[in-house]
Amino acid sequence: MGLKPWQKALFPLRSVAAVVRLFEAELRQPEPDLVLLSLVLGFVEHFLAVNRVLPTNVPGLTFESRPGPDPQTRLYFPVAELSIVAALYARFTAQIRGAVDLSLYPRPDGCSSRDLVRKVSDVIWNSLSRSYFKDRAHIQSLFSFITGTKLDSSGVAFAVVGACQVLGLPDVHLALSEDHAWVAFGAGGSQTAEVTWHGKGNEDRRGQPVQAGVAERSWLYLKGSYLRCTRHMEVAFMVCAINPSIDGHTDSLELLQLQQRLLWLLYDMGHLDRYPMALGNLADLEELEPTPGRPDPLTLYHQGIHSARTYYNNEHIYPYLYLAGFHCRNKNVKEALEAWADTATVIQDYNYCREDEEIYKEFFDVANDVIPNLLEAAAEPPPGAEGAPGGLPALQDPECFAHLLRFYDGICRWEEGSPTPVLHVGWATFLVQSLGRFDGQVRQQVTLLSEDPAPPEADLGGSEDPRDGRRRGPRRESKPEEPPTPKKSGERRPPPRAPRPEETPPPPPTAPPAPGTPGPAPPAPPPGPVLRFRSQKMRGMKELLRAAKVNSSAIKLQLTAQSQVQPRRPRAPPRRLPPALPQETPQRFLGIPQKAQNPSPDLPRLQPRRSRCQQTAGRVLWGCSKAFREPKNSWETQWPPLPFLRRPQKGS
């Protein structure tokens, strides 16, 4: 079974518009051909970003030339001929169908089994090269798999889904988090299976479900709020995976245009409504090159956040990071700090695990590089900006300071109950630097409160959050005391005496208010923003954060304090040796004979002859033991002092 006649009629593909027409035709089908579309995208990306030299030794390969943006330049687009694409397509389908015998895996209810999914992943896994850099660019498509036997982590998961589509398994779909990919299968995607690796290690977990990662509340599995893709969302995934970078500083203009037009095609068809990261990717492209008549980037960023809140319980991080990056690039300090604070508010309900290093790097860069540089730039406004409208400057706005504290409160809350600590002295150094950008009067305008923890009775009934039982109660806030009155010389202060009942004045009677008299006015709300801390560390720093002068040492000590990241295990009782075995003593270890236990008074004691080394060792050991039991220098009167143990005298 190869390409259909209507698919062949769309070839050759000579331009970006021709590739878009192919995708539009496939997206109108109930089952888009993932293998065909991935091969086409990989072919175009290879000759536009990897090998930009016009090859002369590849038969049948040509390039379409057209004028560039400048009159002196011309652009070249690789022509995807039907013969080349059909050959690659036939090779992949033959490899999969020849390696998997469906008769060995019965499907009585029409759903795939775990053994069948494991077999398909084994075919893809065993076809890869044994030694290559798995994080390199441009190895995410099936074109890289067929021509170079190389795939990255997400490319392996996509190849498994494409192979299952070739085998006629419509229930196997791609499942995506923000940094990992696996497959979902069964009735309604009820079952999951790992099919690829994650991170730098090649730990083989193929075939295992992801429930363990969901239960430990790690960001890698989004607590179960991951994307369960349809075939059209899988097409959107391969479009988002296009890498237009030629090197570290140059991007391919043709690939950027192709990706932008394909994402708009998916947007118009409604296939990005449940894909927050794709909306953020499209917004970034629109910021680079706006499309006339389309929504602006800020609207797309907020659509991604709305999608995460609507369909995924507000458990996604990157929609807020996309928005914060946009405001940061446009020097909108207050909006950027608010978006980063919202990001930390989402991450605080996760546990930091060892496989969450990617999101840790994101927060570390934001806290220790981006925010300090942004506040430093805000401290030196451009000339002529003092009288510009737009409210208070960022460093004089208490709401900006409140957003900064909310960001760190979420990070500290993220660390609590996690198996791996998050904060270290590097975080504390830049926190102090960022706090110092705000004046003491600005910091004192923020009202800091503590969120009361759950009562102890709630813990007895069992909590769904495993971290709640490991958290301690809030600290007692120190109240300012009145300074003691100076005491006169030679005068003793009498001890305080409790007043007698008859000496205590009775409370004044309170008259009931009249029926038409209004009651007491409610207390006036605080003038500035109100922030309620949820983390233990930030609760302990409330007074330090609002002090007139930033106490850097105290803040660093509080922030880097070791959190209770693991429950304490009861210590095992010390293991005792059996009574029949002799106890090892230092004298026995040094080879010194020991005194007999309860020697007979009738028998004379034999003093064995000891070497000088044994005598010296015995003196040192005996003297040290006596020094811990008796006053100083008492042991020196019992034995002649050794030269290396003699204490230096004053004036010597």
Side-chain angles (χ1 to χ4, degrees), residues 428-642:
T429 301
F430 288 98
L431 170 60
V432 172
Q433 178 181 342
S434 300
L435 293 177
R437 297 290 182 185
F438 295 89
D439 189 70
Q441 297 179 356
V442 177
R443 289 186 276 108
Q444 290 176 358
Q445 295 180 26
V446 181
T447 304
L448 302 180
L449 304 175
S450 297
E451 182 172 310
D452 296 332
E457 290 80 10
D459 297 338
L460 300 177
S463 173
E464 296 181 0
D465 190 351
R467 302 182 298 171
D468 293 342
R470 299 199 294 267
R471 291 207 176 101
R472 293 169 289 182
R475 299 187 179 189
R476 293 182 180 178
E477 298 299 331
S478 59
K479 299 182 180 179
E481 299 179 356
E482 297 181 357
T485 58
K487 186 170 59 174
K488 298 181 181 180
S489 59
E491 178 185 355
R492 289 187 179 182
R493 179 179 299 175
R497 181 176 60 89
R500 297 178 181 178
E502 59 272 11
E503 296 177 354
T504 305
T510 58
T517 305
V530 179
L531 179 60
R532 192 177 298 274
F533 284 145
R534 297 187 61 189
S535 64
Q536 298 284 353
K537 289 185 177 181
M538 297 300 287
R539 291 177 192 171
M541 290 192 294
K542 285 195 308 181
E543 300 301 329
L544 297 174
L545 297 173
R546 299 182 72 253
K549 184 179 179 181
V550 177
N551 190 340
S552 59
S553 301
I555 292 177
K556 290 180 181 180
L557 185 63
Q558 175 70 14
L559 192 69
T560 58
Q562 181 66 33
S563 298
Q564 185 69 22
V565 296
Q566 286 184 350
R568 293 184 179 180
R569 299 178 181 178
R571 293 184 178 180
R575 194 178 69 175
R576 299 180 180 179
L577 296 175
L581 297 177
Q583 297 283 341
E584 283 292 337
T585 61
Q587 289 85 353
R588 180 183 296 274
F589 177 76
L590 294 173
I592 302 175
Q594 302 182 58
K595 296 181 181 180
Q597 301 291 335
N598 300 326
S600 173
D602 301 334
L603 297 178
R605 294 185 179 181
L606 298 179
Q607 298 293 339
R609 184 182 182 88
R610 294 187 294 174
S611 64
R612 185 179 299 272
C613 179
Q614 292 176 343
Q615 295 175 10
T616 303
R619 290 182 181 185
V620 173
L621 185 65
W622 188 87
C624 293
S625 62
K626 293 285 288 180
F628 285 100
R629 295 195 303 269
E630 298 181 7
K632 292 183 178 179
N633 300 331
S634 64
W635 59 277
E636 294 184 325
T637 62
Q638 303 294 331
W639 295 89
L642 299 177

Side-chain angles (χ1 to χ4, degrees), residues 328-502:
C328 181
R329 290 188 295 269
N330 290 274
K331 305 301 180 182
N332 301 328
V333 181
K334 183 177 180 179
E335 291 78 6
L337 290 174
E338 183 179 6
W340 281 319
D342 293 338
T343 306
T345 303
V346 176
I347 199 64
Q348 68 181 355
D349 292 327
Y350 285 98
N351 285 340
Y352 175 53
C353 303
R354 65 181 182 88
E355 291 187 324
D356 297 341
E357 67 274 2
E358 287 300 323
I359 200 63
Y360 174 85
K361 294 176 184 177
E362 293 282 352
F363 280 108
F364 185 82
D365 292 341
V366 168
N368 304 326
D369 183 23
V370 182
I371 290 181
N373 292 334
L374 187 64
L375 296 180
E376 182 181 3
E380 301 175 358
E386 289 80 9
L392 292 174
L395 298 182
Q396 298 179 13
D397 191 349
E399 292 187 4
C400 292
F401 181 67
H403 293 324
L404 178 66
L405 296 184
R406 187 159 62 94
F407 171 77
Y408 277 96
D409 182 52
I411 300 296
C412 295
R413 174 78 174 181
W414 182 30
E415 183 185 47
E416 293 179 4
S418 299
T420 307
V422 175
L423 301 169
H424 51 75
V425 69
W427 293 78
T429 301
F430 288 98
L431 170 60
V432 172
Q433 178 181 342
S434 300
L435 293 177
R437 297 290 182 185
F438 295 89
D439 189 70
Q441 297 179 356
V442 177
R443 289 186 276 108
Q444 290 176 358
Q445 295 180 26
V446 181
T447 304
L448 302 180
L449 304 175
S450 297
E451 182 172 310
D452 296 332
E457 290 80 10
D459 297 338
L460 300 177
S463 173
E464 296 181 0
D465 190 351
R467 302 182 298 171
D468 293 342
R470 299 199 294 267
R471 291 207 176 101
R472 293 169 289 182
R475 299 187 179 189
R476 293 182 180 178
E477 298 299 331
S478 59
K479 299 182 180 179
E481 299 179 356
E482 297 181 357
T485 58
K487 186 170 59 174
K488 298 181 181 180
S489 59
E491 178 185 355
R492 289 187 179 182
R493 179 179 299 175
R497 181 176 60 89
R500 297 178 181 178
E502 59 272 11

